[in-house]
Amino acid sequence: MLNIGCHLSVSDGYEAICKEALSLGANTFQFFSRNPRGGKSAPLSPDDVKAMEDIMQKNSFAPVLAHASYTMNLCSADEKVRDFANRALKEDLEKFENMPCSLYNFHPGSHVGQGVEKGISLIADALNQAVNENQKTIVLLETMAGKGSEVGRCFEELREIIDRVNFKEKIGVCLDTCHVFDAGYDIVNDLDGVIAKFDDIIGLERLYAVHLNDSKNPVNSHKDRHEKIGEGYIGLEAITRIINHEKLRDLPFFLETPNDNQGYAEEIKLLRSKYI
Ligand code: FE
Ligand code: FE
Ligand code: ZN
């Protein structure tokens, strides 16, 4: 079975979001770990978490993915922003130890003129402060489009971060199809080549999730504008090859396409029909 879900917002708790995912034909989902505008994250309700566990188990959910807020920049040049990011990362990881949510994804960050080397070292330092040997959550670095001063615009940069982390077995990667295409990896004409490169530089054993998005822009644009499935430059044929690729097909796929719930339900249905 294709493991697929979409980005949903947690407004009424985790039981409600699981039911919402099911109603869309999904068997997983992604959600923001906290309000993207920052601030304290809401405390967990044990009853709600229990209900979430039950639904996930009964319906054979794939791993659910928590996405850190976009404002969490571990390699900002501003110490206050960095401190906030470090605290958010730690708090988030503590929170998810008490939830049936084993994947936590974040944008490595933007070095804002400090240089990619400095960015990589700040990100690795933050991970070494926050990640512990016994946690169950795997922390995923997202592949980025290379907009502005984003770190993680190529596989080598992600590899360099991982190399500097102490508990490497707790670190993985989430591959965003729009972002890698934007970063210059031609997953339309050379999917096998891109996957081989990923394996060579990072290792496929570190790939835990895929953000499945079409792109409003051609390969190598560094723009990061997601498009609906089949309506962008990646296209339905290439996306069909991605979900069916032998090295990817068992991973959880998460849609972050510009859709309302009705649109997500249609994309999920379409992609399930294309999964062989
Ligand atoms: Fe993201
Ligand atoms: Fe993404
Ligand atoms: Zn994006």
Side-chain angles (χ1 to χ4, degrees), residues 72-77 82 85-86 89-90 93 104-112 114-131 139-142 144 149-154 156-166 171-172:
M72 188 181 100
N73 187 6
L74 297 171
C75 61
S76 169
R82 235 165 39 223
N86 280 290
L89 176 65
K90 265 195 197 151
L93 291 180
Y104 175 83
N105 169 70
F106 75 105
H107 295 179
S110 293
H111 65 70
V112 283
Q114 301 174 95
V116 74
E117 257 310 301
K118 179 77 182 164
I120 286 170
S121 93
L122 286 169
I123 296 159
D125 287 351
L127 288 168
N128 282 328
Q129 295 290 321
V131 174
V139 179
L140 307 182
L141 302 158
E142 181 165 350
M144 300 312 292
S149 65
E150 278 174 350
V151 179
R153 67 199 151 142
C154 60
E156 286 83 355
E157 290 182 4
L158 297 178
R159 168 63 196 265
E160 265 199 68
I161 297 169
I162 297 167
D163 275 345
R164 296 184 198 195
V165 177
N166 298 329
I171 308 292

Side-chain angles (χ1 to χ4, degrees), residues 28-42:
T28 182
F29 60 90
Q30 172 180 278
F31 63 100
F32 279 130
S33 62
R34 58 175 64 217
N35 185 325
R37 294 276 142 249
K40 265 267 171 214
S41 74

Side-chain angles (χ1 to χ4, degrees), residues 30 32 67-68 70 105-107 142-144 174 176 179 211 213 224 226 256:
Q30 172 180 278
F32 279 130
H67 194 308
Y70 293 137
N105 169 70
F106 75 105
H107 295 179
E142 181 165 350
T143 59
M144 300 312 292
C174 171
D176 185 309
H179 295 177
H211 281 166
N213 302 308
D224 192 2
H226 302 189
E256 301 174 308

Side-chain angles (χ1 to χ4, degrees), residues 7-55:
H7 187 91
L8 295 171
S9 47
V10 193
S11 41
D12 292 316
Y14 296 100
E15 179 181 15
I17 199 176
C18 286
K19 287 182 176 163
E20 190 180 351
L22 283 174
S23 78
L24 302 177
N27 67 326
T28 182
F29 60 90
Q30 172 180 278
F31 63 100
F32 279 130
S33 62
R34 58 175 64 217
N35 185 325
R37 294 276 142 249
K40 265 267 171 214
S41 74
L44 285 177
S45 138
D47 288 349
D48 192 32
V49 169
K50 179 78 179 70
M52 176 185 189
E53 263 161 7
D54 287 349
I55 295 181

Side-chain angles (χ1 to χ4, degrees), residues 143-147 152-155 176-191 193-194 197 215 217-224 234:
T143 59
M144 300 312 292
K147 203 173 67 175
R153 67 199 151 142
C154 60
F155 299 156
D176 185 309
T177 55
C178 169
H179 295 177
V180 291
F181 189 64
D182 244 343
Y185 294 100
D186 192 351
I187 51 175
V188 174
N189 297 301
D190 187 22
L191 180 61
V194 173
K197 197 173 263 177
S215 173
N217 294 288
V219 66
N220 211 17
S221 298
H222 307 288
K223 292 265 205 299
D224 192 2
I234 299 177

Side-chain angles (χ1 to χ4, degrees), residues 233-251:
Y233 280 88
I234 299 177
L236 184 57
E237 256 183 62
I239 287 169
T240 300
R241 285 195 293 273
I242 291 167
I243 58 172
N244 285 293
H245 195 283
E246 56 164 347
K247 299 277 164 68
L248 309 177
R249 54 182 295 116
D250 296 324
L251 293 168

